[in-house]
Short mmCIF file of all heavy atoms in Angstrom, two decimals:
data_model
loop_
_atom_site.label_atom_id
_atom_site.label_comp_id
_atom_site.label_asym_id
_atom_site.label_seq_id
_atom_site.Cartn_x
_atom_site.Cartn_y
_atom_site.Cartn_z
N ALA A 118 18.36 -67.00 -0.75
CA ALA A 118 19.60 -66.44 0.04
C ALA A 118 20.47 -67.71 0.25
O ALA A 118 21.74 -67.68 0.07
CB ALA A 118 19.14 -65.88 1.36
N ARG A 119 19.93 -68.82 0.52
CA ARG A 119 20.63 -70.01 0.83
C ARG A 119 21.34 -70.53 -0.41
O ARG A 119 22.52 -70.91 -0.50
CB ARG A 119 19.74 -71.14 1.55
CG ARG A 119 20.43 -72.42 1.68
CD ARG A 119 21.47 -72.34 2.67
NE ARG A 119 22.46 -73.50 2.65
CZ ARG A 119 22.21 -74.57 3.31
NH1 ARG A 119 21.38 -74.74 4.11
NH2 ARG A 119 23.19 -75.59 3.20
N ALA A 120 20.53 -70.42 -1.56
CA ALA A 120 21.02 -71.00 -2.82
C ALA A 120 22.30 -69.93 -3.29
O ALA A 120 23.35 -70.57 -3.81
CB ALA A 120 20.05 -70.85 -3.82
N MET A 121 22.10 -68.79 -2.99
CA MET A 121 23.20 -67.81 -3.35
C MET A 121 24.55 -68.16 -2.64
O MET A 121 25.51 -68.06 -3.09
CB MET A 121 22.80 -66.35 -3.14
CG MET A 121 23.69 -65.29 -3.73
SD MET A 121 24.01 -65.59 -5.52
CE MET A 121 23.08 -64.32 -6.21
N GLN A 122 24.32 -68.52 -1.25
CA GLN A 122 25.44 -68.90 -0.44
C GLN A 122 26.12 -70.06 -0.98
O GLN A 122 27.36 -70.16 -1.13
CB GLN A 122 24.88 -69.42 0.86
CG GLN A 122 25.25 -68.54 2.02
CD GLN A 122 24.66 -69.01 3.35
OE1 GLN A 122 24.00 -70.24 3.40
NE2 GLN A 122 24.49 -68.30 4.37
N GLU A 123 25.46 -71.08 -1.53
CA GLU A 123 26.03 -72.26 -1.98
C GLU A 123 26.68 -72.01 -3.40
O GLU A 123 27.73 -72.55 -3.70
CB GLU A 123 25.03 -73.45 -2.15
CG GLU A 123 24.24 -73.84 -0.95
CD GLU A 123 25.38 -74.37 0.18
OE1 GLU A 123 26.55 -74.54 -0.09
OE2 GLU A 123 24.93 -74.49 1.40
N LEU A 124 26.09 -71.16 -4.27
CA LEU A 124 26.75 -70.82 -5.41
C LEU A 124 28.03 -70.05 -5.20
O LEU A 124 28.99 -70.14 -5.87
CB LEU A 124 25.74 -69.80 -6.23
CG LEU A 124 24.62 -70.65 -6.98
CD1 LEU A 124 23.77 -69.56 -7.75
CD2 LEU A 124 25.24 -71.63 -7.92
N GLN A 125 28.03 -69.24 -4.09
CA GLN A 125 29.33 -68.55 -3.75
C GLN A 125 30.37 -69.53 -3.43
O GLN A 125 31.58 -69.51 -3.77
CB GLN A 125 29.13 -67.58 -2.46
CG GLN A 125 28.77 -66.22 -3.02
CD GLN A 125 28.09 -65.34 -1.83
OE1 GLN A 125 28.05 -65.80 -0.71
NE2 GLN A 125 27.79 -64.14 -2.15
N ARG A 126 29.97 -70.68 -2.68
CA ARG A 126 30.83 -71.62 -2.20
C ARG A 126 31.48 -72.38 -3.36
O ARG A 126 32.55 -72.87 -3.27
CB ARG A 126 29.98 -72.58 -1.39
CG ARG A 126 30.76 -73.48 -0.46
CD ARG A 126 29.82 -74.21 0.43
NE ARG A 126 30.47 -75.15 1.24
CZ ARG A 126 29.78 -76.05 2.07
NH1 ARG A 126 28.50 -75.99 2.08
NH2 ARG A 126 30.43 -76.92 2.62
N VAL A 127 30.74 -72.48 -4.46
CA VAL A 127 31.49 -73.05 -5.68
C VAL A 127 31.88 -72.11 -6.59
O VAL A 127 32.18 -72.45 -7.84
CB VAL A 127 30.36 -74.08 -6.36
CG1 VAL A 127 29.98 -75.24 -5.36
CG2 VAL A 127 29.17 -73.36 -6.88
N GLY A 128 32.03 -70.81 -6.26
CA GLY A 128 32.58 -69.80 -7.06
C GLY A 128 31.74 -69.39 -8.32
O GLY A 128 32.23 -68.97 -9.35
N LEU A 129 30.36 -69.40 -8.09
CA LEU A 129 29.56 -68.91 -9.29
C LEU A 129 28.47 -67.90 -8.88
O LEU A 129 27.46 -67.81 -9.54
CB LEU A 129 28.75 -70.24 -9.62
CG LEU A 129 29.44 -71.24 -10.47
CD1 LEU A 129 28.42 -72.42 -10.72
CD2 LEU A 129 30.12 -70.74 -11.72
N GLU A 130 28.87 -67.09 -7.97
CA GLU A 130 27.87 -65.97 -7.58
C GLU A 130 27.60 -65.18 -8.76
O GLU A 130 26.43 -64.74 -8.98
CB GLU A 130 28.24 -65.17 -6.33
CG GLU A 130 29.59 -64.41 -6.36
CD GLU A 130 30.75 -65.19 -6.01
OE1 GLU A 130 30.73 -66.48 -6.33
OE2 GLU A 130 31.74 -64.71 -5.60
N LYS A 131 28.56 -64.96 -9.60
CA LYS A 131 28.43 -63.97 -10.81
C LYS A 131 27.48 -64.65 -11.85
O LYS A 131 26.93 -63.91 -12.67
CB LYS A 131 29.81 -63.64 -11.36
CG LYS A 131 30.54 -62.62 -10.55
CD LYS A 131 31.60 -61.92 -11.53
CE LYS A 131 32.56 -61.09 -10.63
NZ LYS A 131 33.76 -61.95 -10.26
N GLN A 132 27.43 -65.93 -11.81
CA GLN A 132 26.55 -66.64 -12.83
C GLN A 132 25.16 -66.98 -12.35
O GLN A 132 24.49 -67.68 -13.02
CB GLN A 132 27.29 -67.83 -13.29
CG GLN A 132 28.46 -67.71 -14.19
CD GLN A 132 29.74 -67.27 -13.41
OE1 GLN A 132 29.78 -67.45 -12.26
NE2 GLN A 132 30.64 -66.71 -14.12
N ALA A 133 24.87 -66.55 -11.23
CA ALA A 133 23.60 -66.84 -10.52
C ALA A 133 22.40 -66.77 -11.39
O ALA A 133 21.39 -67.55 -11.46
CB ALA A 133 23.42 -66.10 -9.22
N HIS A 134 22.28 -65.72 -12.28
CA HIS A 134 21.16 -65.35 -12.97
C HIS A 134 21.21 -65.90 -14.46
O HIS A 134 20.35 -65.60 -15.34
CB HIS A 134 20.80 -63.94 -13.02
CG HIS A 134 20.59 -63.44 -11.53
ND1 HIS A 134 19.53 -63.91 -10.80
CD2 HIS A 134 21.27 -62.80 -10.57
CE1 HIS A 134 19.52 -63.42 -9.52
NE2 HIS A 134 20.64 -62.77 -9.48
N GLN A 135 22.25 -66.67 -14.69
CA GLN A 135 22.36 -67.26 -16.12
C GLN A 135 21.66 -68.57 -16.12
O GLN A 135 21.59 -69.33 -15.08
CB GLN A 135 23.91 -67.37 -16.46
CG GLN A 135 24.55 -66.02 -16.48
CD GLN A 135 25.99 -66.12 -17.12
OE1 GLN A 135 26.45 -67.13 -17.23
NE2 GLN A 135 26.54 -64.92 -17.25
N TYR A 136 21.36 -69.03 -17.36
CA TYR A 136 20.67 -70.26 -17.56
C TYR A 136 21.81 -71.31 -18.00
O TYR A 136 22.84 -70.95 -18.48
CB TYR A 136 19.70 -70.10 -18.76
CG TYR A 136 18.40 -69.32 -18.31
CD1 TYR A 136 18.42 -67.88 -18.35
CD2 TYR A 136 17.35 -69.97 -17.83
CE1 TYR A 136 17.35 -67.16 -17.86
CE2 TYR A 136 16.23 -69.24 -17.32
CZ TYR A 136 16.26 -67.88 -17.46
OH TYR A 136 15.13 -67.24 -16.98
N PRO A 137 21.50 -72.59 -17.79
CA PRO A 137 22.43 -73.66 -18.12
C PRO A 137 23.06 -73.46 -19.49
O PRO A 137 24.22 -73.65 -19.62
CB PRO A 137 21.66 -74.89 -18.01
CG PRO A 137 20.66 -74.64 -16.84
CD PRO A 137 20.30 -73.08 -17.03
N ALA A 138 22.22 -73.02 -20.49
CA ALA A 138 22.81 -72.94 -21.81
C ALA A 138 23.95 -71.93 -21.98
O ALA A 138 24.75 -71.97 -22.83
CB ALA A 138 21.68 -72.69 -22.89
N GLN A 139 23.96 -71.01 -20.89
CA GLN A 139 24.97 -69.89 -20.99
C GLN A 139 26.23 -70.28 -20.25
O GLN A 139 27.09 -69.47 -20.07
CB GLN A 139 24.35 -68.55 -20.49
CG GLN A 139 23.20 -68.12 -21.17
CD GLN A 139 22.45 -67.05 -20.41
OE1 GLN A 139 21.72 -67.29 -19.42
NE2 GLN A 139 22.54 -65.76 -20.95
N LEU A 140 26.23 -71.41 -19.53
CA LEU A 140 27.26 -71.85 -18.64
C LEU A 140 28.10 -72.95 -19.35
O LEU A 140 27.63 -73.63 -20.15
CB LEU A 140 26.69 -72.49 -17.30
CG LEU A 140 25.80 -71.50 -16.49
CD1 LEU A 140 25.23 -72.33 -15.43
CD2 LEU A 140 26.66 -70.33 -16.02
N SER A 141 29.46 -73.03 -18.98
CA SER A 141 30.31 -74.08 -19.50
C SER A 141 29.96 -75.35 -18.74
O SER A 141 29.19 -75.31 -17.69
CB SER A 141 31.77 -73.73 -19.16
OG SER A 141 32.07 -73.75 -17.85
N GLY A 142 30.43 -76.44 -19.20
CA GLY A 142 30.10 -77.63 -18.52
C GLY A 142 30.59 -77.82 -17.14
O GLY A 142 29.98 -78.20 -16.26
N GLY A 143 31.85 -77.14 -16.89
CA GLY A 143 32.37 -77.10 -15.57
C GLY A 143 31.54 -76.20 -14.57
O GLY A 143 31.25 -76.59 -13.45
N GLN A 144 30.95 -75.18 -15.13
CA GLN A 144 30.04 -74.25 -14.36
C GLN A 144 28.78 -75.02 -14.07
O GLN A 144 28.25 -74.99 -13.02
CB GLN A 144 29.81 -72.99 -15.10
CG GLN A 144 31.02 -72.12 -15.18
CD GLN A 144 30.83 -70.87 -15.99
OE1 GLN A 144 30.13 -70.98 -16.91
NE2 GLN A 144 31.68 -69.78 -15.68
N LYS A 145 28.25 -75.82 -15.07
CA LYS A 145 26.97 -76.52 -14.85
C LYS A 145 27.21 -77.56 -13.77
O LYS A 145 26.37 -77.73 -12.96
CB LYS A 145 26.67 -77.22 -16.22
CG LYS A 145 26.00 -76.32 -17.18
CD LYS A 145 25.37 -77.15 -18.36
CE LYS A 145 25.92 -76.64 -19.61
NZ LYS A 145 25.42 -77.20 -20.90
N GLN A 146 28.36 -78.28 -13.74
CA GLN A 146 28.53 -79.16 -12.79
C GLN A 146 28.69 -78.59 -11.43
O GLN A 146 28.21 -79.19 -10.39
CB GLN A 146 29.84 -80.09 -13.13
CG GLN A 146 29.81 -81.39 -12.26
CD GLN A 146 28.65 -82.22 -12.32
OE1 GLN A 146 27.45 -81.84 -11.97
NE2 GLN A 146 28.78 -83.46 -12.93
N ARG A 147 29.27 -77.34 -11.40
CA ARG A 147 29.40 -76.78 -10.03
C ARG A 147 28.02 -76.32 -9.57
O ARG A 147 27.78 -76.28 -8.36
CB ARG A 147 30.39 -75.52 -10.07
CG ARG A 147 31.87 -75.91 -10.24
CD ARG A 147 32.81 -74.89 -10.18
NE ARG A 147 32.97 -74.10 -11.33
CZ ARG A 147 33.28 -72.87 -11.44
NH1 ARG A 147 33.43 -72.09 -10.32
NH2 ARG A 147 33.50 -72.37 -12.57
N VAL A 148 27.12 -75.90 -10.46
CA VAL A 148 25.74 -75.78 -10.10
C VAL A 148 25.17 -76.98 -9.39
O VAL A 148 24.52 -76.96 -8.47
CB VAL A 148 24.83 -75.29 -11.24
CG1 VAL A 148 23.36 -75.04 -10.81
CG2 VAL A 148 25.26 -73.93 -11.77
N GLY A 149 25.53 -78.03 -10.09
CA GLY A 149 24.94 -79.39 -9.60
C GLY A 149 25.45 -79.66 -8.22
O GLY A 149 24.67 -80.19 -7.35
N ILE A 150 26.65 -79.29 -7.92
CA ILE A 150 27.23 -79.48 -6.55
C ILE A 150 26.61 -78.60 -5.62
O ILE A 150 26.24 -78.94 -4.54
CB ILE A 150 28.79 -79.34 -6.70
CG1 ILE A 150 29.36 -80.43 -7.47
CG2 ILE A 150 29.32 -79.35 -5.23
CD1 ILE A 150 30.92 -80.27 -7.76
N ALA A 151 26.38 -77.27 -5.91
CA ALA A 151 25.65 -76.40 -5.14
C ALA A 151 24.25 -76.73 -4.81
O ALA A 151 23.91 -76.70 -3.65
CB ALA A 151 25.67 -74.93 -5.73
N ARG A 152 23.59 -77.36 -5.75
CA ARG A 152 22.24 -77.85 -5.55
C ARG A 152 22.28 -79.03 -4.57
O ARG A 152 21.37 -79.03 -3.66
CB ARG A 152 21.73 -78.41 -6.84
CG ARG A 152 20.41 -79.06 -6.68
CD ARG A 152 19.82 -79.43 -8.12
NE ARG A 152 20.70 -80.48 -8.72
CZ ARG A 152 20.56 -80.92 -10.01
NH1 ARG A 152 19.35 -80.59 -10.64
NH2 ARG A 152 21.34 -81.68 -10.57
#
Side-chain angles (χ1 to χ4, degrees):
R119 175 67 197 268
M121 193 51 107
Q122 244 176 17
E123 298 303 348
L124 285 176
Q125 266 162 8
R126 200 166 170 190
V127 300
L129 286 178
E130 63 275 29
K131 286 202 189 93
Q132 286 77 18
H134 301 290
Q135 295 187 354
Y136 289 86
Q139 298 168 292
L140 301 174
S141 72
Q144 290 172 330
K145 282 188 236 188
Q146 194 56 294
R147 285 190 279 150
V148 174
I150 295 171
R152 174 178 58 184

